[in-house]
Amino acid sequence: MSTLKKKQKENKNGRKTRSRLLNAAGNVFAEKGYEAASVRDIADAAGVPFALITFHFKTKKNLFQQTIEHFILNNAKLETLFAPFEKADAASPESISAAMYESIKNIVYTCHKPRVRIKQINGLMMTLLKDGGKEANKMVQLLGDNTMADVYRILCEANPRLTRTDIYWWSHMFWALIFYPMYGELLLLSESGEKNYSADFLDSLAFKVAYVCCLTLGLPVPDRPDPWSIKE
């Protein structure tokens, strides 16, 4: 085997090992949290020698940050979830309301819908918020700020009375409503009588979150029926 081909094979094997480690880290950090997860746990889950984690990622902290980047920033493609706002007409409140609903539905599907969701993302988001450290949170925050900047601009064009304080509180309310179904899944399912998040339940969740958001921002509520209700 030539030196070049040998080098190419080593690089390919290295990429495969790195990918296995990131996937294993996603599962372990999502299940155990940052503090409780050990590098040994991740190496065992990936089926690779412990030393390869040090070789590829140096430290547990760096591995976690790259795991967050891999799953939340790259795989989830946060910037594409709000793509409906790019097509919205700021002069049409109804168009903005529709974009709000479609964007929220994109997020809800990414987090919860079978065959669409990224299964590690809910656990990783909870780990990130609980004990993920300032650097990883800042990384996600910066992307979120860049992604949401155009959304904020369009909202303010649609309703010029909105202030920076209004947008600040709306943004935090928005993400609180998005995150709650991650934390409160058992409670939501227990009280609703559902066994899992059905398609109608998820569409209803997206509709209700959009409904509250639109009312808060002085926009008309989304013009669509609510597809789910609690069985009497």
Side-chain angles (χ1 to χ4, degrees):
M1 183 182 292
S2 69
T3 302
L4 177 59
K5 287 185 177 180
K6 183 178 180 181
K7 186 68 174 178
Q8 289 174 337
K9 184 177 181 181
E10 289 174 351
N11 289 339
K12 184 178 180 180
N13 289 339
R15 288 193 295 270
K16 286 183 177 179
T17 299
R18 182 182 178 85
S19 178
R20 285 174 65 183
L21 285 168
L22 284 172
N23 284 320
N27 290 327
V28 173
F29 283 130
E31 179 183 349
K32 295 189 173 184
Y34 179 79
E35 293 297 335
S38 72
V39 176
R40 179 70 65 186
D41 292 334
I42 295 167
D44 290 345
V48 303
F50 175 85
L52 284 179
I53 291 186
T54 303
F55 176 78
H56 284 283
F57 299 101
K58 308 303 181 188
T59 65
K60 175 183 172 182
K61 179 179 178 181
N62 187 51
L63 172 58
F64 178 70
Q65 290 177 359
Q66 294 198 40
T67 301
I68 292 297
E69 182 175 358
H70 175 70
F71 283 100
I72 296 179
L73 304 191
N74 297 338
N75 287 9
K77 298 179 180 178
L78 180 62
E79 68 279 6
T80 67
L81 301 179
F82 292 92
F85 276 96
E86 296 175 6
K87 302 175 183 178
D89 180 3
S92 168
E94 291 76 15
S95 176
I96 302 299
S97 295
M100 181 73 73
Y101 169 75
E102 292 297 331
S103 296
I104 291 170
K105 187 171 73 171
N106 287 343
I107 299 171
V108 167
Y109 280 15
T110 297
C111 294
H112 303 291
K113 189 172 184 179
R115 295 185 295 278
V116 175
R117 72 186 180 97
I118 300 170
K119 69 176 185 176
Q120 297 92 341
I121 198 166
N122 291 353
L124 285 174
M125 284 303 302
M126 288 190 280
T127 294
L128 178 69
L129 294 171
K130 180 182 177 183
D131 60 0
K134 291 182 179 180
E135 291 86 352
N137 273 277
K138 189 67 175 178
M139 180 172 60
V140 174
Q141 181 187 347
L142 286 173
L143 177 66
D145 288 346
N146 291 335
T147 301
M148 296 295 285
D150 286 338
V151 175
Y152 300 153
R153 176 183 55 78
I154 292 169
L155 292 175
C156 289
E157 288 178 8
N159 184 355
R161 292 175 296 178
L162 292 173
T163 66
R164 287 187 63 184
T165 302
D166 293 330
I167 292 295
Y168 170 84
W169 284 117
W170 170 78
S171 175
H172 285 277
M173 180 199 72
F174 172 86
W175 288 113
L177 291 171
I178 291 296
F179 290 145
Y180 179 70
M182 300 179 187
Y183 287 92
E185 182 172 357
L186 292 177
L187 181 59
L188 281 171
L189 292 176
S190 175
E191 292 189 347
S192 68
E194 298 284 339
K195 294 181 179 179
N196 50 48
Y197 285 160
S198 66
D200 283 348
F201 185 94
L202 293 176
D203 286 347
S204 180
L205 170 62
F207 173 78
K208 291 301 186 185
V209 173
Y211 186 100
V212 172
C213 287
C214 289
L215 286 180
T216 303
L217 294 166
L219 296 169
V221 299
D223 183 18
R224 61 185 62 248
D226 187 341
W228 179 89
S229 61
I230 293 178
K231 299 179 179 64
E232 298 296 337

